[in-house]
Amino acid sequence: MIWWQNIPFFLVWTPLLFASITAVLRAKVSRFLILLFPAVSALLSAILTWYCLRNGGSFAFSMGAFGAPYGNELRAGALEAALATAFSVIMLLSLLGGWNRMNVQIPRQRLGLYCVMVMLLLSGMMAEVFTNDMFTAYVFIEIMTIAACSLIVARTRGRTLFAATKYMIFNQLGSGLFLLGLSILYCLTGNLLMGDLHEKVAALIAEGAHLDSLTLAVALITIGLAVKSALYPFHSWLPDAYASCTPASSAMLSSLISKTYIFLYIKFIVRVIGLENLDVIHVRPILLACAIASILMGSIDAILEKKLRRMIAYSSVAQIGYVYLGIAVGTELGIAAAVFHIIAHALAKSLLFLTGDRLIGASDGDAHFHELCGAGFRAPVCGAAFTVGALSIVGVPLFAGFASKLYLSQACLDMSPRWSVIGLVVLAFSTALNAAYFLITIVTLYRTPMHAYQTRMHHHWYSNAALAALAVLLVLMGLLGPGIFSIIESGIKYLG
Amino acid sequence: MLNALTDHLEEVAALILFGIGFSNLLLNRNMIKKIIGFSMMDSAIYLFLASYGYIRGRLAPILPAETPAPSVTQYVNPLPAGLVLTGIVVSVSSTAIMLALTVRLYRRYHTLNIDEIAMRAKEADEA
């Protein structure tokens, strides 16, 4: 065991430990800690990424040195480490960008508890990224659900309470399906570690035994995680939850939590089922149909929406459709494109939620489109940052969204001719739809306002710096796309 | 067919209970009944797991200190019991947070019916 191989364990364990300590600290100290921990975690996972890339391959960390099949394992390679870095950085920037509003919107006595939930969320995210054990994944899914629900409900005004209840109900349905699927899989194989599961599943498929039960288990896990990551038609909880809570929370909910579930699903598909067995399980056509429906319906809902933050929330549904499209292609290229899109979309969506809320704030707090005229002049940094985020989501060259759509369309060509044509047409059409609502929004932001606005909101320099950093990262990711993509691709080779 | 059902009575019961709990959580309008459905759904999965671990006629997996350790074939599978224990802890905390949400919903909207709550939340939004 070399020293850097302990990093995944500390990434999961330290935030969990400090979550319980944060509960009794003063709000001032814990507010400092929730910035410190994502920063440290980003640094450590960047170091881990570097070592993983240098040494190649991936390694397993047995918790407490209990060997398989009884022990619990973490597993890390370049892909997991890179994703952990991206998630930590985005978490830090989301918190910084929403810092002012968070301190205003969350009652003073609850701020300490909010910090506890942020710590739990960080720990849960790292656990989902690194775990090699399906049941541990389930436990941390529940921890993240509870943390996410508390993040929504921390702001007491508006309809957050109803939104959180809806979120909780749907997520519990999803967790229940996931757990049932997992139990059936466990009964079929007698293992919970992903590596051992894969051997048993491959053996079952080779024998042709229990194929129906296996399909049922995979279907239940797929639907469970699809509900939790808001794939169409299981997305009805999403707009309320994302649009009503404090901006730092909605940035983290949309860019981190749903993405973590999707990454868990990718690990399940690649590491447990194996890409070569996907067709036996019949999971691809269903995923493909849901992904395409998600891309189209999410964009149409966004076009019909009259309020800015709900529009951004609906666009999340469409973007999650892209990620599932990459998974549904079912080749290494498709998975790599999906992971690339996860990061690109997480950056852009975090930026859009943070700036969207501040643009609304600069328009006397009215979220309707006609009130947003000229908001880009009243809040120049936000206007520019929003434009960058929106252009990236639309897929304009130079930005991360363009690179990810390019890789997705390359991946689509791996499918059978008919499906690849459908995939490409959907990609092109949805880009037009994305452009329709985001370009209109950008134009609205820079039109002359109909009347004067008096609200002057003070934002700290580091808040603005966080927004600028997100925008710069989006451009960098667009420019360095091939380099990042090759890291992801090399990581995926060692994921299986 | 009938034999298969009677051989796996616990699993069949667990799946039926899961269905009842799931549809209650999804479809029932009353928050408390939703939470009851949620508890049923989770308990059904624990029944499913526990019945998988239990092997008829075998002992509890506890090693006696004085006598020489008997072979593993005399014990039931202890792992599902561990999973069930973990799961119970998880579902208790989820139930607690859902009940807490329900208390706050009732204080604000004075009803437990989720449709009425949705309606009042919408009215409050537009007001």
Side-chain angles (χ1 to χ4, degrees):
Chain A
M1 179 72 48
I2 317 162
W3 66 271
W4 53 267
Q5 298 194 338
N6 289 306
I7 289 178
F9 171 69
F10 283 103
L11 286 178
V12 175
W13 180 74
T14 343
L16 200 57
L17 174 73
F18 271 83
S20 44
I21 296 178
T22 318
V24 293
L25 291 178
R26 275 183 309 170
K28 214 170 180 179
V29 186
S30 42
R31 261 183 358 183
F32 170 69
L33 281 179
I34 59 168
L35 292 183
L36 181 71
F37 267 82
V40 171
S41 144
L43 190 70
L44 284 178
S45 30
I47 295 174
L48 185 65
T49 317
W50 193 71
Y51 274 107
C52 282
L53 280 177
R54 207 179 62 167
N55 294 16
S58 60
F59 64 90
F61 178 92
S62 312
M63 302 282 256
F66 291 109
Y70 306 109
N72 198 337
E73 268 183 13
L74 297 176
R75 193 174 184 86
L79 180 68
E80 287 97 327
L83 213 60
T85 318
F87 282 169
S88 316
V89 169
I90 294 170
M91 187 171 193
L92 177 66
L93 294 177
S94 304
L95 282 169
L96 272 180
W99 197 248
N100 291 71
R101 301 287 281 163
M102 187 182 100
N103 288 324
V104 173
Q105 286 178 337
I106 297 172
R108 204 122 204 64
Q109 67 274 18
R110 288 224 189 117
L111 211 51
L113 290 176
Y114 187 81
C115 297
V116 175
M117 292 305 160
V118 174
M119 291 291 225
L120 278 183
L121 182 61
L122 180 64
S123 168
M125 252 161 45
M126 293 301 147
E128 299 292 3
V129 171
F130 287 116
T131 187
N132 198 26
D133 179 288
M134 286 302 280
F135 201 78
T136 311
Y138 165 71
V139 172
F140 277 92
I141 281 179
E142 291 286 359
I143 291 179
M144 280 178 66
T145 307
I146 290 175
C149 179
S150 318
L151 289 185
I152 298 173
V153 87
R155 181 189 181 193
T156 41
R157 294 208 33 215
R159 55 193 303 174
T160 50
L161 197 52
F162 175 61
T165 311
K166 215 166 154 186
Y167 181 88
M168 200 65 190
I169 292 168
F170 274 93
N171 272 276
Q172 290 304 346
L173 291 170
S175 310
L177 290 175
F178 181 85
L179 183 59
L180 185 62
L182 183 56
S183 307
I184 294 176
L185 201 60
Y186 176 63
C187 290
L188 286 174
T189 59
N191 282 100
L192 286 168
L193 286 180
M194 291 183 181
D196 302 332
L197 269 174
H198 178 65
E199 281 169 26
K200 295 277 175 65
V201 166
L204 280 180
I205 288 176
E207 286 170 31
H210 300 295
L211 275 187
D212 293 338
S213 314
L214 196 61
T215 312
L216 176 67
V218 175
L220 286 171
I221 290 178
T222 306
I223 298 174
L225 287 176
V227 171
K228 294 179 83 73
S229 53
L231 184 69
Y232 192 88
F234 312 110
H235 69 292
S236 61
W237 55 266
L238 180 139
D240 270 342
Y242 288 6
S244 60
C245 53
T246 186
S249 296
S250 30
M252 286 191 287
L253 277 169
S254 68
S255 60
L256 303 176
I257 299 179
S258 59
K259 302 299 179 296
T260 314
Y261 295 141
I262 299 179
F263 184 64
L264 178 66
Y265 186 62
I266 290 179
K267 284 209 311 194
F268 174 73
I269 286 288
V270 177
R271 203 178 267 170
V272 176
I273 304 300
L275 290 176
E276 67 281 2
N277 297 329
L278 273 189
D279 282 324
V280 187
I281 310 287
H282 310 295
V283 71
R284 275 184 55 205
I286 297 163
L287 269 187
L288 213 52
C290 282
I292 289 173
S294 195
I295 292 173
L296 297 177
M297 295 311 290
S299 301
I300 291 171
D301 278 338
I303 288 176
L304 295 176
E305 190 54 55
K306 292 280 168 282
K307 288 184 175 173
L308 182 63
R309 280 182 70 183
R310 286 178 72 88
M311 184 202 89
I312 302 173
Y314 273 119
S315 120
S316 280
V317 178
Q319 301 295 318
I320 281 162
Y322 287 124
V323 179
Y324 273 99
L325 180 68
I327 301 174
V329 170
T331 56
E332 282 190 2
L333 185 64
I335 302 283
V339 173
F340 191 91
H341 195 74
I342 285 180
I343 302 176
H345 173 238
L347 283 169
K349 204 33 71 80
S350 169
L351 185 61
L352 285 178
F353 269 117
L354 294 173
T355 50
D357 182 75
R358 280 167 61 170
L359 290 170
I360 293 169
S363 315
D364 291 348
D366 198 326
H368 287 90
F369 268 104
H370 53 87
E371 291 292 333
L372 285 172
C373 289
F377 296 117
R378 293 191 291 278
V381 180
C382 282
F386 185 91
T387 311
V388 171
L391 290 181
S392 169
I393 291 225
V394 173
V396 174
L398 271 189
F399 298 106
F402 173 73
S404 75
K405 277 189 184 167
L406 192 65
Y407 293 129
L408 273 175
S409 30
Q410 274 177 13
C412 275
L413 294 177
D414 282 357
M415 292 190 287
S416 65
R418 187 190 301 163
W419 277 110
S420 60
V421 168
I422 294 178
L424 289 177
V425 168
V426 165
L427 272 176
F429 186 58
S430 71
T431 303
L433 289 177
N434 285 342
Y437 57 89
F438 270 122
L439 293 186
I440 288 175
T441 314
I442 295 173
V443 169
T444 312
L445 288 182
Y446 289 102
R447 277 169 60 189
T448 32
M450 285 177 284
H451 55 91
Y453 294 90
Q454 61 278 69
T455 318
R456 286 233 157 264
M457 289 204 333
H458 173 69
H459 287 288
H460 290 298
W461 62 269
Y462 46 77
S463 244
N464 289 332
L467 297 184
L470 279 170
V472 169
L473 281 175
L474 270 176
V475 177
L476 272 183
M477 203 176 156
L479 293 177
L480 304 177
I484 297 170
F485 195 71
S486 70
I487 293 179
I488 293 173
E489 269 192 317
S490 71
I492 282 177
K493 286 205 175 58
Y494 299 110
L495 191 64
Chain B
M1 183 66 195
L2 203 63
N3 265 346
L5 283 185
T6 46
D7 280 354
H8 300 279
L9 212 53
E10 294 92 348
E11 281 91 341
V12 174
L15 285 183
I16 293 173
L17 281 174
F18 182 87
I20 296 173
F22 186 86
S23 41
N24 241 338
L25 178 57
L26 184 65
L27 301 174
N28 209 306
R29 299 288 93 191
N30 185 302
M31 275 306 293
I32 298 291
K33 288 184 184 165
K34 264 188 195 297
I35 296 174
I36 293 174
F38 165 66
S39 292
M40 270 175 82
M41 185 176 85
D42 273 4
S43 308
I45 300 175
Y46 305 144
L47 174 61
F48 186 84
L49 275 174
S51 69
Y52 169 73
Y54 179 70
I55 305 164
R56 204 173 293 272
R58 291 202 189 168
L59 301 168
I62 303 165
L63 271 180
E66 61 279 4
T67 49
S71 79
V72 283
T73 52
Q74 286 173 287
Y75 290 107
V76 301
N77 184 355
L79 203 60
L83 299 183
V84 169
L85 270 180
T86 319
I88 287 175
V89 175
V90 168
S91 75
V92 162
S93 38
S94 298
T95 312
I97 198 166
M98 279 177 79
L99 283 171
L101 281 174
T102 310
V103 169
R104 275 180 62 184
L105 278 174
Y106 188 75
R107 280 197 192 139
R108 184 180 298 179
Y109 299 109
H110 308 292
T111 173
L112 287 174
N113 187 314
I114 194 89
D115 284 339
E116 278 181 39
I117 292 172
M119 222 164 60
R120 289 183 196 175
K122 206 173 172 193
E123 280 167 13
D125 253 14
E126 281 156 8

